[in-house]
Amino acid sequence: MIFFNIDKNDKSAHIYQQIYHELKKSILAHKIPANEKLPSKRKLADTLRVSINSVTNAYEQLIEEGYIYTLERKGYFVENITQFNHRNNTENLQIPSDLKEKEIDREGWLSLSHMTADTSMFPFKEWIKSQNKAIKNHKDELSEISHPQGPYLVRKTIARMIALTRGVVCEPEQIVIGTGTQPLIRQLMQMQINNTKIAVENPGYSRIYSLLRNMKFDVSAVPLDKKGIQVEAIESINPQFLFITPSHQFPTGIIMPISRRIELLNWAALSQNRYIIEDDYDSEFKYGTDNIPSLQSLDRNQRVIYSGTFSKTLLPSLRISYIVLPPDLLRAYRCHYADWIQGSNSLSLFTLHYFIESGEYAKHMKRMNHHYEIKRKALINELQLRFKEDISIKDVPAGLHFLAQLKTTKGYKEIEAKAHLEKLEIYTLRRFMLGSELADTNIIKLVVGFARIENEEITEAVDRLYRIIT
Ligand SMILES: Cc1ncc(COP(=O)(O)O)c(C=O)c1O
C-alpha cells in the first residue's frame, strides 16, 4: 500500500518529482519489498489526486535510475536493490576543517607582486571587438574541439609575431598552445623517461622546480654567477634538459650576455639528447633599449624549446601560453598526444588572433611599455628616497619586477608575517631558493613587482614596506 501525500503548493518540486522522491525513499528503506507490484499509473493518479502524466513521469525516472522495472502487460515492479554495506554517516561527507577555504578578502591590500598585470589599461573594448569577429568568422570551429596543438590559424599568427618581436625561427606546425607554462612543460616532460636529469636556475622559477620534482625527475638547482646559470656546474651534472630564463632571469633580473648564451648553445649542441627550455616569460618589456633577441634565434642546432606566454602582456587570467618544439621533439609529441584534447578555449584563441592581426596587440604593448616604465621609475625613486643607503636595487630596465636588497635586523619569516599584517602583497627571495634555505643575515632580498600598483598608491605601499622592514 502506497501512502504519502502530495503538496500541490510546493514551489520547490514538481508533482512528478515529489512522487519520484517518495517512491524512491520507500524503495531504499525496503518499505516496498523487491519485486512487489506498484499500483497502475491510473490507480496511483486517482489515489494521489494528480494527473496520470505526473505518475508516468515519476515511473519513467525511476525506471531510468533502476529503482523499478516494467513487465509488458503486467505493470511496474520494484527492483531488487543491493543494500549499502556501511551505515549512513553524514559526518563523513563533510570536508575536514584543514581543507576548508576562507573567502579571500583583498579589501585594503596593495600589491607589489611580480605575478600580476595592470588591468586598468587593458583595451577590453578592442578585445570584445576581436571576440565578435572570432564569433562571426569561426562559428564552425567553435562547435568542435580544436587541433591538439591549437587552431592552425592562431599558431600561424603567433609564429609570425614571435619571428618579428623575438626573432624566433619556427613554422606554425612547431607551436603547441596550452593553458600555461606549467601545463605545457608537464606535457613535454611527460614524454621523457623517469631518470631524465634536468637542471634549473637557483634562485629560479619555483613552480617549475616543484612540478618537475613531483614528476619524479632528477632535478638539480644550479647556482648563478653574474652572467646567469653556471656552465661548469651544468657540465658536471650533465642534464638532458636545462630550464632557463635568459632574457630576464627569474627572479634576479640578470640579462644573459651573448658570451654565456653561446656557451650554453655550444654545450647543448654536443649531444642530440640535450635541450634548453628558454622561458621567455616577460621579455616584451624592455625599457630604454631594444628587446634582446631570444636564445632560440641564435640556435643553429634545433636544441632550444622556446616557451612564451600572454600572461604578462595581456592578462594572467586568460591562460594562453605556448611552446615551440624542435622537429624531433615535435614528432615525438605528435605520437604521444595523438588523442590529446586541446585544453584552451578556442574562442579566446581566435579572439587573440584578431587582436594581434588588427594591430591592437602591438598598440597595447607600446602603451604598456611606456606605462610600466613610468611606474618602475616612480617606485624605484620612492624606495630610494625612503630607505636611502639601506636599499640597493638591481635596476635592470626590463620585465615587470626587480630585485631589491634592504638592510634589516629582521629575518625572512618575520618580514613575510609582517607584510601580511600590513596588507602588502610582496615576495621575498626565500620563495625562489630551490632546495636550499636562505640564511637570515642583516640583509633581506625582495622581488618587487610593479605591474599592479597604481601610481597614486606607490607612496602608501613604500610606507607599509618601511614599517615592515624597520
Ligand atoms: C618565471 C616565469 N615563467 C613563466 C611565467 C608565466 O606562466 P604562465 O604562462 O603559466 O602564466 C611566469 C609568471 O609569473 C613566471 O614568473
Side-chain angles (χ1 to χ4, degrees):
M1 179 70 189
I2 289 176
F3 198 76
F4 56 83
N5 290 323
I6 294 298
D7 179 359
K8 290 187 178 161
N9 296 321
D10 183 355
K11 297 260 185 303
S12 65
H14 291 294
I15 289 172
Y16 86 88
Q17 287 171 328
Q18 295 184 44
I19 302 170
Y20 157 84
H21 281 300
E22 290 296 339
L23 284 175
K24 186 166 109 176
K25 220 163 55 187
S26 302
I27 294 169
L28 282 176
H30 293 271
K31 285 188 186 154
I32 318 175
N35 301 316
E36 170 123 334
K37 188 168 189 285
L38 292 175
S40 70
K41 290 190 276 188
R42 179 174 299 281
K43 189 153 177 230
L44 186 58
D46 286 348
T47 314
L48 299 175
R49 294 174 192 280
V50 298
S51 72
I52 293 194
N53 256 354
S54 296
V55 179
T56 306
N57 288 344
Y59 277 10
E60 275 173 9
Q61 187 63 30
L62 289 164
I63 290 174
E64 285 281 311
E65 293 183 30
Y67 288 99
I68 65 174
Y69 62 93
T70 175
L71 293 176
E72 216 176 324
R73 280 197 290 274
K74 288 197 176 144
Y76 296 90
F77 299 84
V78 172
E79 272 286 3
N80 187 5
I81 297 171
T82 321
Q83 274 196 311
F84 282 113
N85 56 10
H86 47 84
R87 281 196 298 135
N88 258 356
N89 186 353
T90 44
E91 265 171 34
N92 275 351
L93 299 178
Q94 273 170 11
I95 188 163
S97 57
D98 61 316
L99 298 178
K100 267 251 185 266
E101 289 179 42
K102 285 199 193 91
E103 251 180 68
I104 299 171
D105 179 10
R106 306 302 296 170
E107 188 61 39
W109 277 75
L110 292 178
S111 177
L112 291 178
S113 157
H114 62 285
M115 297 275 294
T116 51
D118 188 340
T119 48
S120 68
M121 308 257 300
F122 189 80
F124 284 104
K125 242 190 179 155
E126 278 67 32
W127 183 260
I128 297 291
K129 265 193 212 160
S130 299
Q131 182 172 289
N132 288 340
K133 272 193 219 161
I135 294 170
K136 187 162 162 255
N137 297 336
H138 300 280
K139 281 225 169 72
D140 285 348
E141 288 112 309
L142 293 179
S143 73
E144 306 162 348
I145 53 169
S146 86
H147 186 284
Q149 293 172 232
Y152 188 83
L153 179 72
V154 184
R155 286 184 277 142
K156 203 164 129 188
T157 306
I158 294 175
R160 205 181 305 133
M161 184 189 82
I162 56 180
L164 276 174
T165 57
R166 309 292 306 119
V168 173
V169 189
C170 75
E171 300 289 333
E173 282 75 1
Q174 290 172 259
I175 294 184
V176 179
I177 300 176
T179 54
T181 304
Q182 255 184 340
L184 283 165
I185 298 301
R186 189 181 55 207
Q187 270 164 242
L188 174 69
M189 297 312 293
Q190 234 150 23
M191 305 191 308
Q192 311 306 322
I193 47 172
N194 263 4
N195 61 359
T196 300
K197 278 191 197 168
I198 307 165
V200 299
E201 298 163 324
N202 192 18
Y205 191 21
S206 48
R207 288 173 199 268
I208 288 291
Y209 177 70
S210 49
L211 167 80
L212 296 171
R213 279 176 60 93
N214 288 342
M215 291 178 83
K216 310 274 182 258
F217 287 112
D218 178 356
V219 193
S220 303
V222 178
L224 312 173
D225 60 26
K226 63 181 192 320
K227 292 182 178 177
I229 196 160
Q230 291 178 9
V231 181
E232 307 76 51
I234 296 166
E235 281 166 345
S236 73
I237 294 163
N238 191 22
Q240 282 93 60
F241 285 84
L242 183 60
F243 184 93
I244 55 171
T245 47
S247 296
H248 187 225
Q249 201 276 329
F250 184 81
T252 63
I254 298 169
I255 297 177
M256 189 181 282
I258 185 72
S259 55
R260 181 61 50 89
R261 286 170 189 247
I262 295 173
E263 280 179 282
L264 291 178
L265 290 171
N266 284 345
W267 166 83
L270 288 178
S271 162
Q272 284 302 305
N273 292 326
R274 288 180 181 173
Y275 292 98
I276 301 176
I277 304 173
E278 175 183 21
D279 178 15
D280 205 30
Y281 65 105
D282 73 355
S283 60
E284 294 86 351
F285 300 105
K286 187 81 188 61
Y287 315 110
T289 55
D290 284 348
N291 283 36
I292 290 156
S294 65
L295 185 70
Q296 200 267 10
S297 68
L298 301 169
D299 177 23
R300 297 286 166 269
N301 296 287
Q302 315 264 33
R303 297 291 91 206
V304 176
I305 300 155
Y306 179 84
S307 168
T309 178
F310 290 93
S311 293
K312 302 284 182 188
T313 55
L314 294 175
L315 302 171
S317 54
L318 272 180
R319 308 311 306 139
I320 307 178
S321 314
Y322 54 93
I323 48 175
V324 180
L325 298 177
D328 54 348
L329 277 180
L330 176 64
R331 191 166 291 111
Y333 187 94
R334 291 239 174 114
C335 268
H336 199 94
Y337 290 107
D339 285 333
W340 187 252
I341 294 183
Q342 167 59 232
S344 303
N345 169 338
S346 296
L347 180 56
S348 302
L349 296 182
F350 285 119
T351 304
L352 174 69
H353 158 77
Y354 289 106
F355 195 73
I356 296 172
E357 281 283 284
S358 61
E360 286 302 333
Y361 181 78
K363 263 198 243 167
H364 178 57
M365 284 312 306
K366 207 166 165 201
R367 255 193 323 258
M368 292 317 284
N369 251 289
H370 181 64
H371 179 64
Y372 284 143
E373 169 63 332
I374 290 173
K375 280 210 280 194
R376 192 182 74 93
K377 278 191 175 148
L379 180 57
I380 290 179
N381 200 28
E382 192 67 32
L383 285 167
Q384 282 169 336
L385 270 177
R386 200 69 216 257
F387 288 94
K388 303 203 169 56
E389 64 281 356
D390 287 346
I391 194 166
S392 148
I393 292 174
K394 210 157 190 277
D395 183 9
V396 181
L400 297 179
H401 71 270
F402 52 81
L403 200 65
Q405 288 192 22
L406 290 130
K407 281 192 198 147
T408 178
T409 51
K410 298 200 173 98
Y412 276 98
K413 287 193 180 145
E414 192 182 351
I415 296 280
E416 284 160 5
K418 275 197 94 182
H420 196 81
L421 289 178
E422 285 286 347
K423 296 190 170 181
L424 183 69
E425 188 184 16
I426 188 159
Y427 288 85
T428 69
L429 190 66
R430 194 173 80 96
R431 160 91 192 243
F432 308 107
M433 294 309 297
L434 312 180
S436 56
E437 273 289 312
L438 204 54
D440 285 334
T441 54
N442 38 12
I443 292 235
I444 209 101
K445 292 182 183 173
L446 299 175
V447 178
V448 185
F450 48 86
R452 182 83 172 272
I453 194 88
E454 303 283 343
N455 274 321
E456 49 284 7
E457 293 169 342
I458 287 178
T459 311
E460 170 61 20
V462 173
D463 277 350
R464 289 187 195 183
L465 187 61
Y466 191 78
R467 287 198 294 272
I468 294 163
I469 298 289
T470 54

